[in-house]
Amino acid sequence: MLQSYFNGLMLGAGLIIAIGAQNAFLLAQGVRREYHFQVAALCALCDAVLVCAGVFGLAALLAESPLLISLARWGGAVFLTWYGIQAVARALRPQGLEDNSERRARSLASVLLMALAVTLLNPHVYLDTVLLIGSLGAQQVEPGAYALGAVSASLAWFFGLAFGAAWLSPWLARPSVWRFIDLGIAAMMLSIAAGLVLKQ
């Protein structure tokens, strides 16, 4: 049982630590100190649902449906391109986060909806979390312990990222630094989108 748990923990950690669209969004929310722990909780919950779905059957279904993978790929490419263009626009007119928060305060619902979009419209979440983690989990001696390990990795990472970004926000939130953060987020989103379009 412990072996299955640690297999899930190690694989989950290895996949989630790579900075992707979801991590970039959470990092930005943490720097803004804008509902970052709620976003971390939502990301962890989504990962938990997707890991369990993959381990207990959805991985096999997705593997047999090229149409679903194609729809996820193109929908994700469109969304990530739009988000990347917005980040470029912000980088061209950087502001201190104090000024930005006063002018553009967002509701919790709108932030969580954006977090859901970044999570569920990114095909990598299905390829990595559902297909890869799920298919390997189904082969474990204790699939439940394996799933728990992968979920534990997600929980620790998302809350650690939210806390770390918020802790560093006084330094990271300066306009000059925030311009580089937005440019980095834009590069990440647009490169993922391009990879999805070109991966035929």
Side-chain angles (χ1 to χ4, degrees), residues 114-197:
M114 184 65 72
L116 275 176
V118 168
T119 300
L120 300 179
L121 291 179
N122 183 1
H124 287 292
V125 77
Y126 302 102
L127 297 175
D128 293 344
T129 308
V130 178
L131 283 177
L132 182 56
I133 293 179
S135 60
L136 292 176
Q139 303 170 36
Q140 298 292 312
V141 177
E142 295 285 347
Y146 172 89
L148 181 61
V151 169
S152 299
S154 296
L155 195 65
W157 172 254
F158 286 130
F159 278 95
L161 185 60
F163 178 80
W167 182 58
L168 292 172
S169 66
W171 179 77
L172 294 174
R174 291 180 294 181
S176 58
V177 177
W178 191 244
R179 167 178 280 156
F180 287 105
I181 292 174
D182 269 328
L183 286 174
I185 289 171
M188 176 62 63
M189 300 297 182
L190 294 174
S191 65
I192 293 172
L196 292 174
V197 170

XYZ file of all heavy atoms in Angstrom, residues 114-197:
622
model
N -12.395 31.704 -13.990
C -11.176 31.770 -14.789
C -10.237 30.614 -14.432
O -9.624 30.004 -15.310
C -10.472 33.112 -14.567
C -9.241 33.296 -15.424
S -9.575 33.363 -17.187
C -10.334 34.980 -17.296
N -10.139 30.297 -13.141
C -9.294 29.172 -12.709
C -9.817 27.860 -13.290
O -9.030 27.000 -13.721
C -9.254 29.108 -11.185
N -11.134 27.689 -13.308
C -11.724 26.481 -13.904
C -11.407 26.406 -15.395
O -11.080 25.332 -15.911
C -13.241 26.482 -13.710
C -13.777 25.934 -12.390
C -15.288 26.108 -12.329
C -13.398 24.467 -12.208
N -11.500 27.549 -16.085
C -11.203 27.569 -17.515
C -9.748 27.210 -17.770
O -9.437 26.389 -18.638
C -11.528 28.946 -18.096
N -8.827 27.820 -17.005
C -7.399 27.530 -17.170
C -7.115 26.053 -16.907
O -6.272 25.438 -17.561
C -6.565 28.421 -16.222
C -5.129 27.947 -16.153
C -6.592 29.863 -16.691
N -7.849 25.471 -15.966
C -7.638 24.069 -15.615
C -8.274 23.124 -16.621
O -7.615 22.227 -17.158
C -8.227 23.781 -14.217
O -7.570 24.606 -13.259
C -8.039 22.315 -13.825
N -9.553 23.318 -16.914
C -10.306 22.325 -17.684
C -10.242 22.514 -19.190
O -10.560 21.593 -19.936
C -11.767 22.319 -17.218
C -11.965 21.970 -15.736
C -13.440 22.027 -15.367
C -11.373 20.605 -15.403
N -9.843 23.715 -19.658
C -9.707 23.926 -21.100
C -8.289 23.655 -21.588
O -7.984 23.877 -22.757
C -10.115 25.359 -21.469
C -11.596 25.680 -21.313
C -11.881 27.130 -21.686
C -12.461 24.741 -22.150
N -7.425 23.200 -20.701
C -6.055 22.865 -21.078
C -5.962 21.355 -21.310
O -6.079 20.570 -20.369
C -5.093 23.296 -19.968
C -3.642 23.036 -20.333
O -3.340 22.548 -21.426
N -2.753 23.353 -19.421
N -5.776 20.932 -22.543
C -5.737 19.493 -22.829
C -4.664 18.737 -22.053
O -4.789 17.541 -21.820
C -5.461 19.431 -24.336
C -5.902 20.747 -24.860
C -5.653 21.734 -23.768
N -3.600 19.438 -21.640
C -2.541 18.755 -20.899
C -3.057 18.159 -19.595
O -2.511 17.175 -19.094
C -1.384 19.715 -20.626
C -0.573 20.020 -21.838
N 0.223 19.086 -22.471
C -0.442 21.156 -22.565
C 0.812 19.631 -23.509
N 0.420 20.891 -23.598
N -4.102 18.759 -19.024
C -4.631 18.220 -17.774
C -5.230 16.836 -18.011
O -5.165 15.966 -17.145
C -5.667 19.182 -17.133
C -7.019 19.127 -17.824
C -5.858 18.857 -15.661
N -5.790 16.620 -19.198
C -6.356 15.303 -19.501
C -5.271 14.318 -19.916
O -5.320 13.140 -19.547
C -7.423 15.436 -20.593
C -8.531 16.375 -20.200
C -8.588 17.670 -20.697
C -9.501 15.984 -19.271
C -9.581 18.550 -20.301
C -10.503 16.859 -18.876
C -10.532 18.140 -19.396
O -11.508 19.014 -18.990
N -4.289 14.821 -20.678
C -3.216 13.934 -21.124
C -2.336 13.495 -19.960
O -1.959 12.325 -19.863
C -2.370 14.641 -22.189
C -3.107 15.013 -23.473
C -2.205 15.816 -24.402
C -3.621 13.776 -24.176
N -2.011 14.435 -19.071
C -1.130 14.116 -17.944
C -1.896 13.525 -16.766
O -1.607 12.418 -16.316
C -0.380 15.375 -17.471
C 0.609 15.875 -18.504
O 0.934 15.106 -19.434
O 1.046 17.023 -18.390
N -2.875 14.288 -16.271
C -3.557 13.884 -15.034
C -4.452 12.672 -15.228
O -4.442 11.751 -14.422
C -4.391 15.069 -14.492
O -3.557 16.221 -14.401
C -4.958 14.747 -13.130
N -5.234 12.688 -16.313
C -6.176 11.578 -16.510
C -5.506 10.393 -17.191
O -5.511 9.271 -16.664
C -7.412 12.040 -17.312
C -8.360 10.868 -17.562
C -8.152 13.147 -16.570
N -4.923 10.630 -18.368
C -4.380 9.496 -19.137
C -3.130 8.889 -18.511
O -3.076 7.683 -18.260
C -4.082 9.936 -20.568
C -5.293 10.059 -21.493
C -4.858 10.576 -22.852
C -5.999 8.723 -21.650
N -2.107 9.726 -18.253
C -0.840 9.187 -17.756
C -0.966 8.687 -16.316
O -0.708 7.514 -16.021
C 0.258 10.238 -17.872
C 1.654 9.789 -17.425
C 2.092 8.549 -18.190
C 2.658 10.914 -17.616
N -1.372 9.578 -15.421
C -1.503 9.170 -14.012
C -2.565 8.084 -13.874
O -2.394 7.112 -13.140
C -1.840 10.383 -13.128
C -0.653 11.355 -13.083
C -2.203 9.945 -11.710
C -0.886 12.602 -12.251
N -3.676 8.250 -14.610
C -4.765 7.280 -14.507
C -4.396 5.900 -15.006
O -4.663 4.898 -14.344
N -3.764 5.834 -16.180
C -3.434 4.525 -16.742
C -2.400 3.795 -15.886
O -2.472 2.577 -15.702
C -2.929 4.671 -18.184
O -1.769 5.488 -18.208
N -1.419 4.543 -15.341
C -0.438 3.903 -14.461
C -1.069 3.496 -13.127
O -0.724 2.466 -12.553
C 0.744 4.837 -14.218
C 1.639 5.115 -15.434
C 2.709 6.132 -15.089
C 2.261 3.827 -15.941
N -2.003 4.309 -12.652
C -2.665 3.991 -11.384
C -3.502 2.745 -11.450
O -3.585 1.984 -10.479
N -4.119 2.517 -12.605
C -4.959 1.327 -12.756
C -4.139 0.041 -12.669
O -4.690 -1.033 -12.408
C -5.704 1.394 -14.090
N -2.819 0.136 -12.864
C -1.961 -1.048 -12.819
C -1.343 -1.294 -11.439
O -0.622 -2.271 -11.250
C -0.836 -0.884 -13.844
C -1.320 -0.642 -15.266
C -0.186 -0.245 -16.188
O 0.935 -0.730 -16.059
N -0.468 0.639 -17.133
N -1.596 -0.376 -10.501
C -1.001 -0.509 -9.168
C -1.677 -1.610 -8.347
O -2.834 -1.942 -8.565
C -1.114 0.816 -8.413
C -0.391 1.972 -9.063
C 1.113 1.810 -9.028
O 1.705 1.501 -7.998
N 1.745 2.035 -10.179
N -0.937 -2.121 -7.392
C -1.495 -3.112 -6.468
C -2.631 -2.497 -5.665
O -3.672 -3.110 -5.451
C -0.393 -3.647 -5.519
C -0.994 -4.610 -4.506
C 0.711 -4.319 -6.322
N -2.443 -1.243 -5.238
C -3.469 -0.509 -4.485
C -3.782 0.795 -5.221
O -3.193 1.845 -4.923
C -2.975 -0.197 -3.067
C -2.750 -1.414 -2.196
C -4.057 -2.008 -1.705
O -5.107 -1.346 -1.842
O -4.017 -3.137 -1.180
N -4.712 0.767 -6.197
C -5.012 1.982 -6.970
C -5.491 3.148 -6.101
O -5.187 4.303 -6.383
C -6.116 1.523 -7.928
C -5.951 0.045 -8.024
C -5.458 -0.395 -6.678
N -6.238 2.846 -5.040
C -6.733 3.901 -4.160
C -5.600 4.637 -3.461
O -5.604 5.867 -3.351
N -4.606 3.898 -2.979
C -3.450 4.509 -2.317
C -2.632 5.321 -3.308
O -2.115 6.399 -2.983
C -2.583 3.427 -1.679
N -2.510 4.821 -4.524
C -1.798 5.545 -5.582
C -2.488 6.878 -5.874
O -1.841 7.926 -5.966
C -1.769 4.669 -6.833
C -1.237 5.343 -8.071
C 0.117 5.320 -8.385
C -2.114 5.990 -8.948
C 0.596 5.925 -9.538
C -1.638 6.600 -10.095
C -0.286 6.562 -10.391
O 0.174 7.153 -11.524
N -3.815 6.843 -6.020
C -4.575 8.070 -6.272
C -4.409 9.054 -5.121
O -4.241 10.260 -5.341
C -6.057 7.739 -6.486
N -4.426 8.542 -3.891
C -4.238 9.405 -2.720
C -2.857 10.066 -2.743
O -2.710 11.247 -2.407
C -4.418 8.597 -1.437
C -4.282 9.374 -0.119
C -5.345 10.467 -0.034
C -4.393 8.423 1.069
N -1.848 9.345 -3.175
C -0.508 9.903 -3.273
C -0.436 11.031 -4.285
O 0.136 12.091 -4.023
N -1.042 10.818 -5.461
C -1.040 11.850 -6.498
C -1.807 13.085 -6.036
O -1.388 14.223 -6.277
C -1.643 11.297 -7.787
N -2.933 12.867 -5.355
C -3.737 13.981 -4.842
C -2.969 14.739 -3.762
O -3.025 15.976 -3.686
C -5.090 13.473 -4.321
C -5.837 14.557 -3.548
C -5.950 12.963 -5.480
N -2.228 14.027 -2.918
C -1.415 14.669 -1.873
C -0.371 15.597 -2.487
O -0.124 16.701 -1.982
C -0.718 13.617 -1.011
O -1.649 12.799 -0.354
N 0.237 15.163 -3.590
C 1.236 15.994 -4.269
C 0.599 17.278 -4.783
O 1.163 18.371 -4.642
C 1.871 15.212 -5.416
N -0.586 17.167 -5.378
C -1.288 18.344 -5.887
C -1.618 19.311 -4.765
O -1.408 20.530 -4.888
C -2.590 17.936 -6.593
O -2.326 17.168 -7.733
N -2.151 18.783 -3.679
C -2.557 19.621 -2.545
C -1.367 20.401 -1.990
O -1.437 21.619 -1.785
C -3.172 18.734 -1.464
C -3.973 19.403 -0.361
C -5.213 20.068 -0.913
C -4.363 18.383 0.695
N -0.258 19.695 -1.763
C 0.932 20.347 -1.215
C 1.486 21.394 -2.170
O 1.865 22.498 -1.767
C 2.000 19.299 -0.895
N 1.520 21.083 -3.469
C 2.094 22.000 -4.437
C 1.256 23.265 -4.587
O 1.781 24.378 -4.557
C 2.250 21.318 -5.791
C 2.662 22.280 -6.867
C 1.888 22.783 -7.871
C 3.947 22.897 -7.023
N 2.602 23.653 -8.652
C 3.873 23.751 -8.149
C 5.153 22.805 -6.323
C 4.956 24.500 -8.580
C 6.228 23.560 -6.757
C 6.135 24.394 -7.877
N -0.055 23.117 -4.778
C -0.895 24.289 -5.028
C -0.912 25.244 -3.834
O -0.796 26.458 -4.009
C -2.317 23.864 -5.394
C -2.446 23.289 -6.776
C -3.085 22.081 -6.991
C -1.912 23.957 -7.875
C -3.202 21.546 -8.259
C -2.018 23.433 -9.149
C -2.664 22.226 -9.345
N -1.039 24.703 -2.632
C -1.054 25.588 -1.467
C 0.335 26.170 -1.195
O 0.450 27.318 -0.759
C -1.624 24.873 -0.243
C -3.124 24.874 -0.219
C -3.835 23.803 -0.716
C -3.822 25.976 0.268
C -5.232 23.816 -0.722
C -5.206 26.005 0.266
C -5.915 24.920 -0.230
N 1.388 25.406 -1.466
C 2.744 25.938 -1.325
C 3.006 27.065 -2.310
O 3.605 28.091 -1.961
N 2.536 26.902 -3.544
C 2.715 27.936 -4.561
C 1.931 29.197 -4.200
O 2.432 30.319 -4.320
C 2.266 27.409 -5.923
C 2.493 28.312 -7.134
C 3.970 28.619 -7.325
C 1.926 27.659 -8.386
N 0.689 29.015 -3.735
C -0.137 30.171 -3.353
C 0.494 30.924 -2.186
O 0.576 32.157 -2.193
C -1.548 29.707 -2.992
N 0.963 30.188 -1.187
C 1.575 30.824 -0.012
C 2.879 31.520 -0.386
O 3.138 32.659 0.011
C 1.830 29.778 1.076
C 2.501 30.349 2.295
C 1.775 31.036 3.255
C 3.875 30.211 2.464
C 2.405 31.578 4.366
C 4.519 30.749 3.567
C 3.773 31.437 4.520
N 3.728 30.844 -1.168
C 5.015 31.413 -1.543
C 4.869 32.669 -2.382
O 5.575 33.660 -2.168
N 3.934 32.654 -3.347
C 3.732 33.826 -4.194
C 3.210 35.001 -3.372
O 3.634 36.148 -3.561
C 2.768 33.498 -5.325
N 2.284 34.718 -2.439
C 1.748 35.798 -1.595
C 2.828 36.357 -0.678
O 2.912 37.574 -0.451
C 0.572 35.273 -0.776
N 3.678 35.505 -0.159
C 4.750 35.922 0.741
C 5.753 36.824 0.028
O 6.261 37.790 0.582
C 5.439 34.681 1.313
C 6.533 34.975 2.297
C 6.441 35.683 3.460
C 7.902 34.569 2.193
N 7.659 35.729 4.094
C 8.577 35.048 3.332
C 8.610 33.823 1.254
C 9.921 34.827 3.555
C 9.961 33.591 1.478
C 10.599 34.092 2.622
N 6.014 36.501 -1.240
C 6.972 37.287 -2.023
C 6.330 38.470 -2.746
O 7.024 39.230 -3.426
C 7.657 36.390 -3.061
C 8.598 35.317 -2.507
C 9.039 34.390 -3.623
C 9.804 35.955 -1.828
N 5.012 38.625 -2.599
C 4.313 39.634 -3.391
C 4.792 41.070 -3.180
O 4.771 41.853 -4.130
C 2.798 39.552 -3.170
O 2.458 39.887 -1.847
N 5.243 41.485 -1.975
C 5.730 42.869 -1.865
C 6.873 43.171 -2.834
O 6.996 44.288 -3.336
C 6.202 42.959 -0.407
C 5.363 41.957 0.313
C 5.204 40.823 -0.664
N 7.701 42.183 -3.113
C 8.793 42.375 -4.071
C 8.314 42.129 -5.500
O 8.609 42.890 -6.412
C 9.950 41.435 -3.750
C 11.086 41.575 -4.723
C 12.008 42.575 -4.760
C 11.398 40.695 -5.801
N 12.887 42.381 -5.806
C 12.533 41.228 -6.459
C 10.830 39.514 -6.283
C 13.102 40.608 -7.574
C 11.405 38.901 -7.386
C 12.530 39.444 -8.019
N 7.521 41.067 -5.685
C 7.088 40.687 -7.026
C 6.070 41.648 -7.617
O 5.899 41.699 -8.836
C 6.486 39.274 -6.999
C 7.433 38.127 -6.682
C 6.658 36.827 -6.551
C 8.507 37.999 -7.751
N 5.364 42.401 -6.757
C 4.254 43.227 -7.227
C 4.677 44.572 -7.796
O 3.850 45.315 -8.295
C 3.268 43.451 -6.089
N 5.964 44.909 -7.753
C 6.409 46.188 -8.312
C 6.182 46.197 -9.824
O 6.333 45.165 -10.478
C 7.885 46.413 -7.979
C 8.119 46.655 -6.497
C 9.581 46.882 -6.192
N 10.363 45.669 -6.455
C 11.675 45.580 -6.261
N 12.363 46.626 -5.827
N 12.307 44.445 -6.498
N 5.832 47.359 -10.393
C 5.524 47.409 -11.826
C 6.607 46.821 -12.717
O 6.301 46.099 -13.667
C 5.342 48.914 -12.090
C 4.880 49.452 -10.779
C 5.607 48.646 -9.729
N 7.870 47.116 -12.420
C 8.947 46.609 -13.271
C 9.037 45.091 -13.224
O 9.275 44.432 -14.239
C 10.287 47.222 -12.852
O 10.559 46.925 -11.487
N 8.838 44.520 -12.033
C 8.870 43.058 -11.893
C 7.611 42.445 -12.492
O 7.662 41.402 -13.157
C 9.017 42.662 -10.406
C 8.972 41.146 -10.242
C 10.319 43.214 -9.840
N 6.474 43.102 -12.263
C 5.205 42.572 -12.755
C 5.174 42.503 -14.277
O 4.561 41.615 -14.858
C 4.054 43.424 -12.221
C 2.723 42.792 -12.461
C 1.722 43.272 -13.250
C 2.246 41.553 -11.932
N 0.660 42.413 -13.237
C 0.959 41.349 -12.443
C 2.797 40.599 -11.080
C 0.205 40.236 -12.122
C 2.046 39.478 -10.760
C 0.767 39.307 -11.281
N 5.895 43.447 -14.945
C 5.976 43.396 -16.404
C 6.627 42.081 -16.842
O 6.134 41.417 -17.762
C 6.798 44.579 -16.925
C 7.188 44.424 -18.394
C 7.963 45.630 -18.885
N 7.069 46.715 -19.203
C 7.420 47.987 -19.218
N 8.642 48.348 -18.873
N 6.556 48.919 -19.556
N 7.704 41.671 -16.161
C 8.370 40.417 -16.523
C 7.505 39.201 -16.178
O 7.510 38.205 -16.898
C 9.732 40.325 -15.838
C 10.755 41.252 -16.426
C 11.131 42.409 -15.763
C 11.321 40.980 -17.664
C 12.062 43.277 -16.303
C 12.255 41.839 -18.225
C 12.627 42.993 -17.543
N 6.756 39.298 -15.081
C 5.847 38.198 -14.734
C 4.803 38.024 -15.831
O 4.543 36.912 -16.304
C 5.169 38.449 -13.368
C 6.207 38.354 -12.244
C 4.037 37.454 -13.132
C 5.668 38.736 -10.879
N 4.178 39.136 -16.251
C 3.160 39.064 -17.301
C 3.745 38.568 -18.617
O 3.118 37.785 -19.336
C 2.494 40.417 -17.492
C 1.255 40.580 -16.624
O 0.579 39.577 -16.360
O 0.970 41.713 -16.197
N 4.960 39.035 -18.953
C 5.593 38.555 -20.185
C 5.887 37.061 -20.107
O 5.726 36.328 -21.085
C 6.877 39.341 -20.457
C 6.690 40.775 -20.950
C 8.034 41.493 -21.028
C 5.977 40.807 -22.304
N 6.318 36.604 -18.926
C 6.553 35.176 -18.745
C 5.280 34.365 -18.859
O 5.248 33.295 -19.484
N 4.197 34.874 -18.255
C 2.900 34.194 -18.347
C 2.439 34.159 -19.805
O 1.967 33.123 -20.294
C 1.858 34.898 -17.453
C 2.189 34.639 -15.981
C 0.441 34.433 -17.779
C 1.355 35.450 -15.001
N 2.587 35.293 -20.510
C 2.185 35.341 -21.915
C 2.977 34.334 -22.748
O 2.409 33.604 -23.569
C 2.386 36.750 -22.464
N 4.298 34.290 -22.536
C 5.125 33.343 -23.285
C 4.711 31.905 -23.018
O 4.638 31.082 -23.935
C 6.595 33.553 -22.922
N 4.415 31.612 -21.741
C 3.993 30.257 -21.380
C 2.670 29.894 -22.049
O 2.535 28.838 -22.676
C 3.864 30.157 -19.852
C 3.343 28.825 -19.361
S 4.414 27.441 -19.791
C 5.886 27.894 -18.894
N 1.666 30.776 -21.942
C 0.352 30.495 -22.502
C 0.412 30.355 -24.025
O -0.164 29.426 -24.609
C -0.634 31.603 -22.131
C -0.847 31.802 -20.647
S -1.569 30.351 -19.853
C -1.748 30.950 -18.172
N 1.105 31.285 -24.684
C 1.158 31.258 -26.146
C 1.977 30.081 -26.666
O 1.643 29.500 -27.711
C 1.724 32.575 -26.674
C 0.830 33.801 -26.418
C 1.541 35.085 -26.835
C -0.498 33.673 -27.141
N 3.032 29.697 -25.941
C 3.820 28.543 -26.394
C 3.033 27.247 -26.240
O 3.099 26.366 -27.103
C 5.145 28.464 -25.629
O 4.927 28.206 -24.256
N 2.262 27.143 -25.147
C 1.416 25.951 -24.978
C 0.370 25.911 -26.081
O 0.110 24.864 -26.686
C 0.758 25.931 -23.587
C 1.815 25.755 -22.491
C -0.272 24.805 -23.496
C 1.263 25.917 -21.082
N -0.258 27.076 -26.363
C -1.273 27.137 -27.420
C -0.685 26.743 -28.768
O -1.286 25.986 -29.531
C -1.868 28.544 -27.481
N 0.509 27.279 -29.076
C 1.157 26.931 -30.350
C 1.468 25.441 -30.423
O 1.279 24.800 -31.453
C 2.444 27.742 -30.509
N 1.930 24.889 -29.297
C 2.215 23.456 -29.269
C 0.971 22.615 -29.524
O 1.030 21.591 -30.209
N -0.154 23.079 -29.000
C -1.407 22.341 -29.211
C -1.842 22.394 -30.671
O -2.322 21.411 -31.231
C -2.512 22.929 -28.335
C -2.354 22.736 -26.822
C -3.437 23.501 -26.065
C -2.403 21.264 -26.460
N -1.678 23.568 -31.296
C -2.090 23.723 -32.691
C -1.179 22.920 -33.624
O -1.641 22.276 -34.572
C -2.066 25.210 -33.101
C -2.255 25.363 -34.612
C -3.165 25.968 -32.348
